[in-house]
Amino acid sequence: MADKKIIAVVGSTGSQGGGLCGAILADASGGFACRAITRDPSKDQAKALAAKGAEVVKADLDDVESLKKAFAGAYGVYAVTNFWEHFSGEKEKTQAKNIADAAKAAGVKHVVWSTLEDTRKLMSADDKRMPMLQDKYRVPHFDAKAEADAYFQGLPVTYLVTSFYWDNFYTFGLGPKKGDDGKLGWTLPMGDAKLAGIASSDIGKVAYGIFKAGQEYVGKTVGILGEALTVKEMGDKLSKVLGVGPVAYNAVEPDAYRGFGFPGADELGNMFQVYRDFEKQCLANRSLAETRKLDPALQSFDKFVEAHKDQIIGSMG
Ligand SMILES: NC(=O)c1ccc[n+]([C@@H]2O[C@H](COP(=O)([O-])OP(=O)(O)OC[C@H]3O[C@@H](n4cnc5c(N)ncnc54)[C@H](OP(=O)(O)O)[C@@H]3O)[C@@H](O)[C@H]2O)c1
């Protein structure tokens, strides 16, 4: 352990960081050790990581001093913020700045920052196709992360541009649902555009690939995906792999979707519209070849669905 390079993993009890911890811990001879950061070392996920050999350390993204202590002696830091806990672009930026400041203070050799693109660069400020949210963002959880990229300048950083998690189908209720007639329908504002998606656990595996490659990726931006598919293509695959009836795609307009009123509907409406209206640019920002190179076991959509059959079927109602 002592001779291993320690990666301090923010979000270790969550999807991205959990995937990275799993990858480090599964590769005993890989030369890396996992320092799992959590606000609550007594929670089940933290205990499970400790049982597998992680060093569990308590820290809070709202407390920069706790992060400085948690990063001390580490070789690398995996940096991720959780927008969906508070829905605030400003808070997300403050937390990202705390991570960057603490990583600078600790003198770490490699930071992988989980970011997304600035969607405001895709359209002019007076473009009326979608509302501005929180005063200055088109898609706050994208734009705030992109703004936070600046905090990491001056650090040996890799900017990791992630994709839509397929896990959202059952964790966020974004998958197909059974109607009153028992038939499956899928309401999304994606038109016929392809959505760049990924199994969330693969993000951590890609990050591990980046830490292993080291210097080659410092200063680089890496955009990743598992597969890009239209909603119709995903629906057909779900139906085939799960052995359920056909999935009827109800392609609504983003305005209608934003009006559905669930928490985050406006944010997700804008996000899907960006993926729809700027399909080419979103796909150009992500490379399947590079993702596979960093994560040779990268899951296809079919493989992901096969592995999460019960959760997906259970979420269909
Ligand atoms: N859903 C998607 O499709 C998608 C796609 C691309 C990017 N993203 C981005 O992914 C991010 C979330 O990552 P995730 O899905 O891996 O998260 P997650 O599974 O929801 O878990 C959240 C993690 O963040 C940690 N955390 C949250 N607030 C913290 C704080 N104040 N101090 C320390 N740790 C804190 C939690 O740790 P403890 O609770 O143990 O402290 C937990 O490990 C979001 O910002 C989202 O925008 C999501």
Side-chain angles (χ1 to χ4, degrees), residues 258-292:
R258 282 187 280 269
F260 286 165
F262 62 85
D266 49 0
E267 169 104 24
L268 290 177
N270 282 12
M271 178 192 79
F272 285 123
Q273 189 172 6
V274 164
Y275 275 122
R276 184 192 76 169
D277 292 2
F278 302 97
E279 177 192 22
K280 244 194 206 152
Q281 293 93 322
C282 290
L283 296 182
N285 287 342
R286 294 161 174 82
S287 159
L288 195 53
E290 179 111 67
T291 315
R292 276 215 193 95

PDB file of all heavy atoms in Angstrom, residues 258-292:
ATOM      1  N   ARG A 258     -40.471  20.734 -20.768  1.00  0.00           N
ATOM      2  CA  ARG A 258     -40.133  21.678 -19.681  1.00  0.00           C
ATOM      3  C   ARG A 258     -41.356  21.971 -18.819  1.00  0.00           C
ATOM      4  O   ARG A 258     -41.236  22.267 -17.634  1.00  0.00           O
ATOM      5  CB  ARG A 258     -39.596  22.991 -20.275  1.00  0.00           C
ATOM      6  CG  ARG A 258     -38.161  22.918 -20.743  1.00  0.00           C
ATOM      7  CD  ARG A 258     -37.636  24.285 -21.165  1.00  0.00           C
ATOM      8  NE  ARG A 258     -38.055  24.656 -22.498  1.00  0.00           N
ATOM      9  CZ  ARG A 258     -37.374  24.401 -23.620  1.00  0.00           C
ATOM     10  NH1 ARG A 258     -36.210  23.769 -23.551  1.00  0.00           N
ATOM     11  NH2 ARG A 258     -37.828  24.762 -24.794  1.00  0.00           N
ATOM     12  N   GLY A 259     -42.537  21.869 -19.431  1.00  0.00           N
ATOM     13  CA  GLY A 259     -43.778  22.187 -18.718  1.00  0.00           C
ATOM     14  C   GLY A 259     -44.301  21.033 -17.879  1.00  0.00           C
ATOM     15  O   GLY A 259     -45.320  21.185 -17.200  1.00  0.00           O
ATOM     16  N   PHE A 260     -43.638  19.880 -17.898  1.00  0.00           N
ATOM     17  CA  PHE A 260     -44.161  18.731 -17.143  1.00  0.00           C
ATOM     18  C   PHE A 260     -44.144  18.973 -15.632  1.00  0.00           C
ATOM     19  O   PHE A 260     -44.840  18.306 -14.884  1.00  0.00           O
ATOM     20  CB  PHE A 260     -43.397  17.449 -17.484  1.00  0.00           C
ATOM     21  CG  PHE A 260     -43.732  16.878 -18.851  1.00  0.00           C
ATOM     22  CD1 PHE A 260     -42.909  15.919 -19.441  1.00  0.00           C
ATOM     23  CD2 PHE A 260     -44.856  17.295 -19.552  1.00  0.00           C
ATOM     24  CE1 PHE A 260     -43.206  15.385 -20.697  1.00  0.00           C
ATOM     25  CE2 PHE A 260     -45.165  16.775 -20.806  1.00  0.00           C
ATOM     26  CZ  PHE A 260     -44.328  15.822 -21.379  1.00  0.00           C
ATOM     27  N   GLY A 261     -43.276  19.875 -15.184  1.00  0.00           N
ATOM     28  CA  GLY A 261     -43.368  20.336 -13.797  1.00  0.00           C
ATOM     29  C   GLY A 261     -42.642  19.514 -12.746  1.00  0.00           C
ATOM     30  O   GLY A 261     -42.606  19.922 -11.584  1.00  0.00           O
ATOM     31  N   PHE A 262     -42.049  18.389 -13.093  1.00  0.00           N
ATOM     32  CA  PHE A 262     -41.318  17.646 -12.051  1.00  0.00           C
ATOM     33  C   PHE A 262     -40.019  18.411 -11.747  1.00  0.00           C
ATOM     34  O   PHE A 262     -39.559  19.204 -12.584  1.00  0.00           O
ATOM     35  CB  PHE A 262     -41.056  16.192 -12.484  1.00  0.00           C
ATOM     36  CG  PHE A 262     -40.206  16.035 -13.723  1.00  0.00           C
ATOM     37  CD1 PHE A 262     -38.821  16.030 -13.651  1.00  0.00           C
ATOM     38  CD2 PHE A 262     -40.806  15.888 -14.981  1.00  0.00           C
ATOM     39  CE1 PHE A 262     -38.042  15.887 -14.799  1.00  0.00           C
ATOM     40  CE2 PHE A 262     -40.039  15.751 -16.127  1.00  0.00           C
ATOM     41  CZ  PHE A 262     -38.656  15.748 -16.031  1.00  0.00           C
ATOM     42  N   PRO A 263     -39.401  18.187 -10.580  1.00  0.00           N
ATOM     43  CA  PRO A 263     -38.183  18.940 -10.258  1.00  0.00           C
ATOM     44  C   PRO A 263     -37.100  18.687 -11.308  1.00  0.00           C
ATOM     45  O   PRO A 263     -36.749  17.538 -11.577  1.00  0.00           O
ATOM     46  CB  PRO A 263     -37.752  18.368  -8.895  1.00  0.00           C
ATOM     47  CG  PRO A 263     -38.951  17.698  -8.343  1.00  0.00           C
ATOM     48  CD  PRO A 263     -39.805  17.260  -9.502  1.00  0.00           C
ATOM     49  N   GLY A 264     -36.605  19.751 -11.911  1.00  0.00           N
ATOM     50  CA  GLY A 264     -35.556  19.608 -12.925  1.00  0.00           C
ATOM     51  C   GLY A 264     -36.086  19.454 -14.338  1.00  0.00           C
ATOM     52  O   GLY A 264     -35.306  19.256 -15.274  1.00  0.00           O
ATOM     53  N   ALA A 265     -37.429  19.565 -14.536  1.00  0.00           N
ATOM     54  CA  ALA A 265     -38.007  19.381 -15.880  1.00  0.00           C
ATOM     55  C   ALA A 265     -37.475  20.437 -16.865  1.00  0.00           C
ATOM     56  O   ALA A 265     -37.179  20.129 -18.021  1.00  0.00           O
ATOM     57  CB  ALA A 265     -39.529  19.445 -15.824  1.00  0.00           C
ATOM     58  N   ASP A 266     -37.342  21.678 -16.384  1.00  0.00           N
ATOM     59  CA  ASP A 266     -36.836  22.740 -17.275  1.00  0.00           C
ATOM     60  C   ASP A 266     -35.373  22.478 -17.637  1.00  0.00           C
ATOM     61  O   ASP A 266     -34.953  22.606 -18.787  1.00  0.00           O
ATOM     62  CB  ASP A 266     -37.032  24.134 -16.654  1.00  0.00           C
ATOM     63  CG  ASP A 266     -36.539  24.234 -15.220  1.00  0.00           C
ATOM     64  OD1 ASP A 266     -36.040  23.222 -14.671  1.00  0.00           O
ATOM     65  OD2 ASP A 266     -36.628  25.334 -14.647  1.00  0.00           O
ATOM     66  N   GLU A 267     -34.614  22.087 -16.644  1.00  0.00           N
ATOM     67  CA  GLU A 267     -33.185  21.776 -16.841  1.00  0.00           C
ATOM     68  C   GLU A 267     -33.016  20.614 -17.839  1.00  0.00           C
ATOM     69  O   GLU A 267     -32.230  20.691 -18.793  1.00  0.00           O
ATOM     70  CB  GLU A 267     -32.604  21.378 -15.474  1.00  0.00           C
ATOM     71  CG  GLU A 267     -31.234  20.776 -15.513  1.00  0.00           C
ATOM     72  CD  GLU A 267     -30.168  21.739 -15.063  1.00  0.00           C
ATOM     73  OE1 GLU A 267     -30.476  22.671 -14.325  1.00  0.00           O
ATOM     74  OE2 GLU A 267     -29.014  21.557 -15.479  1.00  0.00           O
ATOM     75  N   LEU A 268     -33.779  19.542 -17.615  1.00  0.00           N
ATOM     76  CA  LEU A 268     -33.659  18.373 -18.504  1.00  0.00           C
ATOM     77  C   LEU A 268     -34.221  18.679 -19.886  1.00  0.00           C
ATOM     78  O   LEU A 268     -33.694  18.204 -20.896  1.00  0.00           O
ATOM     79  CB  LEU A 268     -34.357  17.149 -17.888  1.00  0.00           C
ATOM     80  CG  LEU A 268     -33.656  16.554 -16.662  1.00  0.00           C
ATOM     81  CD1 LEU A 268     -34.457  15.396 -16.081  1.00  0.00           C
ATOM     82  CD2 LEU A 268     -32.243  16.079 -16.992  1.00  0.00           C
ATOM     83  N   GLY A 269     -35.285  19.498 -19.941  1.00  0.00           N
ATOM     84  CA  GLY A 269     -35.835  19.900 -21.240  1.00  0.00           C
ATOM     85  C   GLY A 269     -34.779  20.636 -22.057  1.00  0.00           C
ATOM     86  O   GLY A 269     -34.593  20.376 -23.253  1.00  0.00           O
ATOM     87  N   ASN A 270     -34.068  21.551 -21.405  1.00  0.00           N
ATOM     88  CA  ASN A 270     -32.989  22.268 -22.098  1.00  0.00           C
ATOM     89  C   ASN A 270     -31.870  21.310 -22.501  1.00  0.00           C
ATOM     90  O   ASN A 270     -31.325  21.394 -23.603  1.00  0.00           O
ATOM     91  CB  ASN A 270     -32.422  23.371 -21.203  1.00  0.00           C
ATOM     92  CG  ASN A 270     -33.321  24.603 -21.158  1.00  0.00           C
ATOM     93  OD1 ASN A 270     -34.460  24.562 -21.615  1.00  0.00           O
ATOM     94  ND2 ASN A 270     -32.811  25.698 -20.612  1.00  0.00           N
ATOM     95  N   MET A 271     -31.526  20.397 -21.595  1.00  0.00           N
ATOM     96  CA  MET A 271     -30.426  19.466 -21.891  1.00  0.00           C
ATOM     97  C   MET A 271     -30.752  18.585 -23.101  1.00  0.00           C
ATOM     98  O   MET A 271     -29.958  18.473 -24.042  1.00  0.00           O
ATOM     99  CB  MET A 271     -30.146  18.570 -20.678  1.00  0.00           C
ATOM    100  CG  MET A 271     -29.039  17.554 -20.944  1.00  0.00           C
ATOM    101  SD  MET A 271     -28.937  16.274 -19.680  1.00  0.00           S
ATOM    102  CE  MET A 271     -30.284  15.205 -20.184  1.00  0.00           C
ATOM    103  N   PHE A 272     -31.962  18.010 -23.103  1.00  0.00           N
ATOM    104  CA  PHE A 272     -32.324  17.155 -24.239  1.00  0.00           C
ATOM    105  C   PHE A 272     -32.383  17.980 -25.524  1.00  0.00           C
ATOM    106  O   PHE A 272     -32.021  17.507 -26.598  1.00  0.00           O
ATOM    107  CB  PHE A 272     -33.657  16.438 -23.986  1.00  0.00           C
ATOM    108  CG  PHE A 272     -33.563  15.284 -23.012  1.00  0.00           C
ATOM    109  CD1 PHE A 272     -34.346  15.242 -21.865  1.00  0.00           C
ATOM    110  CD2 PHE A 272     -32.691  14.221 -23.247  1.00  0.00           C
ATOM    111  CE1 PHE A 272     -34.265  14.171 -20.971  1.00  0.00           C
ATOM    112  CE2 PHE A 272     -32.604  13.145 -22.358  1.00  0.00           C
ATOM    113  CZ  PHE A 272     -33.390  13.128 -21.220  1.00  0.00           C
ATOM    114  N   GLN A 273     -32.837  19.230 -25.401  1.00  0.00           N
ATOM    115  CA  GLN A 273     -32.903  20.060 -26.607  1.00  0.00           C
ATOM    116  C   GLN A 273     -31.496  20.343 -27.152  1.00  0.00           C
ATOM    117  O   GLN A 273     -31.298  20.389 -28.373  1.00  0.00           O
ATOM    118  CB  GLN A 273     -33.646  21.378 -26.320  1.00  0.00           C
ATOM    119  CG  GLN A 273     -33.920  22.150 -27.609  1.00  0.00           C
ATOM    120  CD  GLN A 273     -34.822  23.346 -27.399  1.00  0.00           C
ATOM    121  OE1 GLN A 273     -35.181  23.682 -26.272  1.00  0.00           O
ATOM    122  NE2 GLN A 273     -35.184  23.990 -28.498  1.00  0.00           N
ATOM    123  N   VAL A 274     -30.547  20.530 -26.242  1.00  0.00           N
ATOM    124  CA  VAL A 274     -29.158  20.715 -26.696  1.00  0.00           C
ATOM    125  C   VAL A 274     -28.690  19.457 -27.429  1.00  0.00           C
ATOM    126  O   VAL A 274     -28.142  19.535 -28.530  1.00  0.00           O
ATOM    127  CB  VAL A 274     -28.220  21.049 -25.508  1.00  0.00           C
ATOM    128  CG1 VAL A 274     -26.757  20.856 -25.891  1.00  0.00           C
ATOM    129  CG2 VAL A 274     -28.460  22.483 -25.043  1.00  0.00           C
ATOM    130  N   TYR A 275     -28.944  18.289 -26.841  1.00  0.00           N
ATOM    131  CA  TYR A 275     -28.543  17.032 -27.493  1.00  0.00           C
ATOM    132  C   TYR A 275     -29.262  16.857 -28.835  1.00  0.00           C
ATOM    133  O   TYR A 275     -28.718  16.276 -29.764  1.00  0.00           O
ATOM    134  CB  TYR A 275     -28.842  15.826 -26.595  1.00  0.00           C
ATOM    135  CG  TYR A 275     -27.780  15.489 -25.564  1.00  0.00           C
ATOM    136  CD1 TYR A 275     -28.074  15.451 -24.199  1.00  0.00           C
ATOM    137  CD2 TYR A 275     -26.475  15.152 -25.944  1.00  0.00           C
ATOM    138  CE1 TYR A 275     -27.109  15.105 -23.251  1.00  0.00           C
ATOM    139  CE2 TYR A 275     -25.513  14.808 -25.007  1.00  0.00           C
ATOM    140  CZ  TYR A 275     -25.824  14.786 -23.662  1.00  0.00           C
ATOM    141  OH  TYR A 275     -24.873  14.438 -22.737  1.00  0.00           O
ATOM    142  N   ARG A 276     -30.510  17.374 -28.938  1.00  0.00           N
ATOM    143  CA  ARG A 276     -31.275  17.235 -30.182  1.00  0.00           C
ATOM    144  C   ARG A 276     -30.836  18.262 -31.224  1.00  0.00           C
ATOM    145  O   ARG A 276     -30.477  17.906 -32.353  1.00  0.00           O
ATOM    146  CB  ARG A 276     -32.778  17.418 -29.890  1.00  0.00           C
ATOM    147  CG  ARG A 276     -33.669  17.196 -31.098  1.00  0.00           C
ATOM    148  CD  ARG A 276     -35.099  17.659 -30.866  1.00  0.00           C
ATOM    149  NE  ARG A 276     -35.216  19.113 -30.922  1.00  0.00           N
ATOM    150  CZ  ARG A 276     -36.369  19.776 -30.955  1.00  0.00           C
ATOM    151  NH1 ARG A 276     -37.512  19.116 -30.886  1.00  0.00           N
ATOM    152  NH2 ARG A 276     -36.396  21.094 -31.000  1.00  0.00           N
ATOM    153  N   ASP A 277     -30.841  19.537 -30.833  1.00  0.00           N
ATOM    154  CA  ASP A 277     -30.583  20.606 -31.806  1.00  0.00           C
ATOM    155  C   ASP A 277     -29.102  20.708 -32.184  1.00  0.00           C
ATOM    156  O   ASP A 277     -28.771  21.239 -33.243  1.00  0.00           O
ATOM    157  CB  ASP A 277     -31.042  21.964 -31.247  1.00  0.00           C
ATOM    158  CG  ASP A 277     -32.549  22.043 -31.103  1.00  0.00           C
ATOM    159  OD1 ASP A 277     -33.232  21.040 -31.404  1.00  0.00           O
ATOM    160  OD2 ASP A 277     -33.049  23.096 -30.662  1.00  0.00           O
ATOM    161  N   PHE A 278     -28.229  20.262 -31.292  1.00  0.00           N
ATOM    162  CA  PHE A 278     -26.792  20.359 -31.555  1.00  0.00           C
ATOM    163  C   PHE A 278     -26.161  18.962 -31.528  1.00  0.00           C
ATOM    164  O   PHE A 278     -25.073  18.751 -30.987  1.00  0.00           O
ATOM    165  CB  PHE A 278     -26.133  21.299 -30.527  1.00  0.00           C
ATOM    166  CG  PHE A 278     -26.740  22.670 -30.545  1.00  0.00           C
ATOM    167  CD1 PHE A 278     -27.728  23.019 -29.622  1.00  0.00           C
ATOM    168  CD2 PHE A 278     -26.386  23.594 -31.515  1.00  0.00           C
ATOM    169  CE1 PHE A 278     -28.327  24.271 -29.660  1.00  0.00           C
ATOM    170  CE2 PHE A 278     -26.976  24.854 -31.556  1.00  0.00           C
ATOM    171  CZ  PHE A 278     -27.952  25.192 -30.628  1.00  0.00           C
ATOM    172  N   GLU A 279     -26.890  18.036 -32.142  1.00  0.00           N
ATOM    173  CA  GLU A 279     -26.478  16.628 -32.146  1.00  0.00           C
ATOM    174  C   GLU A 279     -25.033  16.474 -32.644  1.00  0.00           C
ATOM    175  O   GLU A 279     -24.217  15.798 -32.015  1.00  0.00           O
ATOM    176  CB  GLU A 279     -27.431  15.849 -33.059  1.00  0.00           C
ATOM    177  CG  GLU A 279     -27.079  14.374 -33.226  1.00  0.00           C
ATOM    178  CD  GLU A 279     -27.876  13.726 -34.366  1.00  0.00           C
ATOM    179  OE1 GLU A 279     -28.348  14.458 -35.266  1.00  0.00           O
ATOM    180  OE2 GLU A 279     -28.001  12.493 -34.367  1.00  0.00           O
ATOM    181  N   LYS A 280     -24.758  17.131 -33.766  1.00  0.00           N
ATOM    182  CA  LYS A 280     -23.432  16.987 -34.378  1.00  0.00           C
ATOM    183  C   LYS A 280     -22.324  17.412 -33.430  1.00  0.00           C
ATOM    184  O   LYS A 280     -21.343  16.695 -33.235  1.00  0.00           O
ATOM    185  CB  LYS A 280     -23.357  17.892 -35.623  1.00  0.00           C
ATOM    186  CG  LYS A 280     -23.189  17.138 -36.908  1.00  0.00           C
ATOM    187  CD  LYS A 280     -22.786  18.091 -38.013  1.00  0.00           C
ATOM    188  CE  LYS A 280     -23.219  17.519 -39.342  1.00  0.00           C
ATOM    189  NZ  LYS A 280     -23.472  18.557 -40.319  1.00  0.00           N
ATOM    190  N   GLN A 281     -22.515  18.599 -32.809  1.00  0.00           N
ATOM    191  CA  GLN A 281     -21.471  19.126 -31.924  1.00  0.00           C
ATOM    192  C   GLN A 281     -21.311  18.244 -30.678  1.00  0.00           C
ATOM    193  O   GLN A 281     -20.191  17.969 -30.251  1.00  0.00           O
ATOM    194  CB  GLN A 281     -21.811  20.560 -31.475  1.00  0.00           C
ATOM    195  CG  GLN A 281     -21.789  21.570 -32.602  1.00  0.00           C
ATOM    196  CD  GLN A 281     -23.163  21.769 -33.236  1.00  0.00           C
ATOM    197  OE1 GLN A 281     -23.935  20.823 -33.402  1.00  0.00           O
ATOM    198  NE2 GLN A 281     -23.477  22.997 -33.613  1.00  0.00           N
ATOM    199  N   CYS A 282     -22.443  17.787 -30.117  1.00  0.00           N
ATOM    200  CA  CYS A 282     -22.365  16.942 -28.910  1.00  0.00           C
ATOM    201  C   CYS A 282     -21.644  15.636 -29.228  1.00  0.00           C
ATOM    202  O   CYS A 282     -20.835  15.154 -28.426  1.00  0.00           O
ATOM    203  CB  CYS A 282     -23.754  16.655 -28.349  1.00  0.00           C
ATOM    204  SG  CYS A 282     -24.543  18.097 -27.630  1.00  0.00           S
ATOM    205  N   LEU A 283     -21.942  15.067 -30.388  1.00  0.00           N
ATOM    206  CA  LEU A 283     -21.275  13.805 -30.749  1.00  0.00           C
ATOM    207  C   LEU A 283     -19.804  14.050 -31.078  1.00  0.00           C
ATOM    208  O   LEU A 283     -18.940  13.230 -30.747  1.00  0.00           O
ATOM    209  CB  LEU A 283     -21.994  13.126 -31.913  1.00  0.00           C
ATOM    210  CG  LEU A 283     -23.433  12.664 -31.611  1.00  0.00           C
ATOM    211  CD1 LEU A 283     -24.046  11.966 -32.811  1.00  0.00           C
ATOM    212  CD2 LEU A 283     -23.489  11.755 -30.380  1.00  0.00           C
ATOM    213  N   ALA A 284     -19.512  15.199 -31.694  1.00  0.00           N
ATOM    214  CA  ALA A 284     -18.112  15.503 -32.047  1.00  0.00           C
ATOM    215  C   ALA A 284     -17.252  15.718 -30.799  1.00  0.00           C
ATOM    216  O   ALA A 284     -16.034  15.532 -30.836  1.00  0.00           O
ATOM    217  CB  ALA A 284     -18.058  16.740 -32.937  1.00  0.00           C
ATOM    218  N   ASN A 285     -17.894  16.098 -29.681  1.00  0.00           N
ATOM    219  CA  ASN A 285     -17.140  16.322 -28.440  1.00  0.00           C
ATOM    220  C   ASN A 285     -16.773  15.025 -27.730  1.00  0.00           C
ATOM    221  O   ASN A 285     -16.111  15.056 -26.689  1.00  0.00           O
ATOM    222  CB  ASN A 285     -17.972  17.170 -27.458  1.00  0.00           C
ATOM    223  CG  ASN A 285     -18.054  18.617 -27.885  1.00  0.00           C
ATOM    224  OD1 ASN A 285     -17.259  19.076 -28.703  1.00  0.00           O
ATOM    225  ND2 ASN A 285     -19.022  19.347 -27.355  1.00  0.00           N
ATOM    226  N   ARG A 286     -17.246  13.888 -28.246  1.00  0.00           N
ATOM    227  CA  ARG A 286     -17.040  12.605 -27.557  1.00  0.00           C
ATOM    228  C   ARG A 286     -16.519  11.562 -28.537  1.00  0.00           C
ATOM    229  O   ARG A 286     -17.044  11.468 -29.649  1.00  0.00           O
ATOM    230  CB  ARG A 286     -18.379  12.143 -26.947  1.00  0.00           C
ATOM    231  CG  ARG A 286     -18.859  13.048 -25.838  1.00  0.00           C
ATOM    232  CD  ARG A 286     -20.337  12.904 -25.541  1.00  0.00           C
ATOM    233  NE  ARG A 286     -20.709  13.688 -24.365  1.00  0.00           N
ATOM    234  CZ  ARG A 286     -20.977  14.992 -24.378  1.00  0.00           C
ATOM    235  NH1 ARG A 286     -20.976  15.658 -25.522  1.00  0.00           N
ATOM    236  NH2 ARG A 286     -21.259  15.647 -23.260  1.00  0.00           N
ATOM    237  N   SER A 287     -15.539  10.786 -28.117  1.00  0.00           N
ATOM    238  CA  SER A 287     -14.934   9.808 -29.034  1.00  0.00           C
ATOM    239  C   SER A 287     -15.064   8.381 -28.497  1.00  0.00           C
ATOM    240  O   SER A 287     -14.558   8.072 -27.407  1.00  0.00           O
ATOM    241  CB  SER A 287     -13.451  10.146 -29.233  1.00  0.00           C
ATOM    242  OG  SER A 287     -12.759   9.012 -29.696  1.00  0.00           O
ATOM    243  N   LEU A 288     -15.715   7.541 -29.297  1.00  0.00           N
ATOM    244  CA  LEU A 288     -15.873   6.143 -28.894  1.00  0.00           C
ATOM    245  C   LEU A 288     -14.521   5.421 -28.887  1.00  0.00           C
ATOM    246  O   LEU A 288     -14.231   4.627 -27.989  1.00  0.00           O
ATOM    247  CB  LEU A 288     -16.845   5.453 -29.873  1.00  0.00           C
ATOM    248  CG  LEU A 288     -17.418   4.122 -29.439  1.00  0.00           C
ATOM    249  CD1 LEU A 288     -18.056   4.196 -28.063  1.00  0.00           C
ATOM    250  CD2 LEU A 288     -18.463   3.641 -30.454  1.00  0.00           C
ATOM    251  N   ALA A 289     -13.684   5.723 -29.876  1.00  0.00           N
ATOM    252  CA  ALA A 289     -12.377   5.052 -29.962  1.00  0.00           C
ATOM    253  C   ALA A 289     -11.524   5.370 -28.732  1.00  0.00           C
ATOM    254  O   ALA A 289     -10.913   4.484 -28.125  1.00  0.00           O
ATOM    255  CB  ALA A 289     -11.655   5.490 -31.236  1.00  0.00           C
ATOM    256  N   GLU A 290     -11.525   6.646 -28.338  1.00  0.00           N
ATOM    257  CA  GLU A 290     -10.723   7.051 -27.166  1.00  0.00           C
ATOM    258  C   GLU A 290     -11.309   6.425 -25.894  1.00  0.00           C
ATOM    259  O   GLU A 290     -10.582   5.976 -25.010  1.00  0.00           O
ATOM    260  CB  GLU A 290     -10.738   8.577 -27.051  1.00  0.00           C
ATOM    261  CG  GLU A 290      -9.964   9.092 -25.869  1.00  0.00           C
ATOM    262  CD  GLU A 290      -8.707   9.825 -26.283  1.00  0.00           C
ATOM    263  OE1 GLU A 290      -8.856  10.886 -26.893  1.00  0.00           O
ATOM    264  OE2 GLU A 290      -7.603   9.339 -25.996  1.00  0.00           O
ATOM    265  N   THR A 291     -12.648   6.383 -25.803  1.00  0.00           N
ATOM    266  CA  THR A 291     -13.288   5.812 -24.611  1.00  0.00           C
ATOM    267  C   THR A 291     -12.918   4.332 -24.494  1.00  0.00           C
ATOM    268  O   THR A 291     -12.560   3.848 -23.407  1.00  0.00           O
ATOM    269  CB  THR A 291     -14.831   5.961 -24.680  1.00  0.00           C
ATOM    270  OG1 THR A 291     -15.156   7.277 -25.098  1.00  0.00           O
ATOM    271  CG2 THR A 291     -15.461   5.704 -23.331  1.00  0.00           C
ATOM    272  N   ARG A 292     -12.979   3.613 -25.624  1.00  0.00           N
ATOM    273  CA  ARG A 292     -12.638   2.177 -25.614  1.00  0.00           C
ATOM    274  C   ARG A 292     -11.173   1.949 -25.273  1.00  0.00           C
ATOM    275  O   ARG A 292     -10.822   0.987 -24.599  1.00  0.00           O
ATOM    276  CB  ARG A 292     -12.916   1.562 -26.987  1.00  0.00           C
ATOM    277  CG  ARG A 292     -14.344   1.166 -27.156  1.00  0.00           C
ATOM    278  CD  ARG A 292     -14.490  -0.103 -28.001  1.00  0.00           C
ATOM    279  NE  ARG A 292     -15.874  -0.246 -28.386  1.00  0.00           N
ATOM    280  CZ  ARG A 292     -16.371   0.190 -29.551  1.00  0.00           C
ATOM    281  NH1 ARG A 292     -15.576   0.746 -30.451  1.00  0.00           N
ATOM    282  NH2 ARG A 292     -17.639   0.040 -29.822  1.00  0.00           N
TER     283      ARG A 292
END
